Amino acid sequence: MLNLVVFEGVSILDTEKAVEDDGIQADSLGLDADRPEAGMPLVARQAMEQVEAMGQLLQRIDEALLMIDERLDVLQPPLTGKVRLIYRKRRLYMTPQFVKFIQKRDGTWWAKPLKAGTATRSIKESKSFEPNAEVVRIYCREGEELLKLRRNVNRLLGNVTAVGKGASQPMDAKVQRIRSALGLQ
């Protein structure tokens, strides 16, 4: 029996027939009958692995950004001008962003968002901030690089998983949507 598998406009024979035609051993393809994606076309499996790898990269970036924020909090005094890296709600998801804290006259604090790439220039160097200003500058520079990398990875994931219009979804929803499109769920 000959089955035809169609994946995004590309038709291929099922795995067993393709293996017979190419003279390749099924074991060399690394197929596992216990895994639902075992019968997927190679391109689909590779795409799924890339999406999952990008998701793991985003998690590592977020962990590093949280560590940077903790260090920025410890290295600067609780005064107007303190720079932090916080997560702010944008549309449906949380996005990390540098902010500068400003204390109002009534004693409340306001987190003023900083434009991308300006955190390093926004570091205060007054007497209270001076002892750690250079270390804070290094953390801000690294944080800006990580934010740029995070935006690029998110943009790539958005291109891979874009369906129609609307805000991008959290990573788990993207992976889930791809899995269901590939017939894995």
Side-chain angles (χ1 to χ4, degrees), residues 14 26 62 83 96 148:
D14 74 14
D62 284 345
V83 175
K148 187 186 304 182

Side-chain angles (χ1 to χ4, degrees), residues 48-63 153-154 157 171-172 174-175:
M48 193 65 206
E49 290 169 3
Q50 288 297 317
V51 169
E52 289 175 358
M54 283 191 251
Q56 291 171 358
L57 176 61
L58 280 177
Q59 289 175 343
R60 288 197 313 267
I61 290 171
D62 284 345
E63 290 169 3
V153 171
N154 266 332
L157 280 173
M171 184 61 209
D172 291 340
K174 289 180 180 185
V175 170

Side-chain angles (χ1 to χ4, degrees), residues 90-149:
R90 289 195 171 193
R91 297 184 191 132
L92 301 175
Y93 52 93
M94 302 296 283
T95 303
Q97 182 178 20
F98 277 104
V99 295
K100 180 183 272 192
F101 281 95
I102 299 170
Q103 189 172 20
K104 295 182 179 180
R105 289 184 180 164
D106 63 0
T108 60
W109 288 89
W110 175 54
K112 178 184 176 189
L114 299 175
K115 292 182 180 178
T118 63
T120 306
R121 294 189 311 242
S122 300
I123 297 168
K124 288 204 60 162
E125 294 187 12
S126 65
K127 198 171 201 171
S128 302
F129 288 87
E130 187 200 3
N132 297 321
E134 193 55 40
V135 177
V136 169
R137 183 171 283 106
I138 291 169
Y139 278 121
C140 285
R141 192 174 305 121
E142 293 300 318
E144 287 173 343
E145 289 298 318
L146 287 172
L147 287 175
K148 187 186 304 182
L149 177 61

Side-chain angles (χ1 to χ4, degrees), residues 75-93:
L75 290 170
Q76 299 172 92
L79 301 172
T80 294
K82 184 174 188 168
V83 175
R84 297 277 309 269
L85 184 57
I86 63 171
Y87 281 75
R88 300 173 60 101
K89 187 171 183 177
R90 289 195 171 193
R91 297 184 191 132
L92 301 175
Y93 52 93

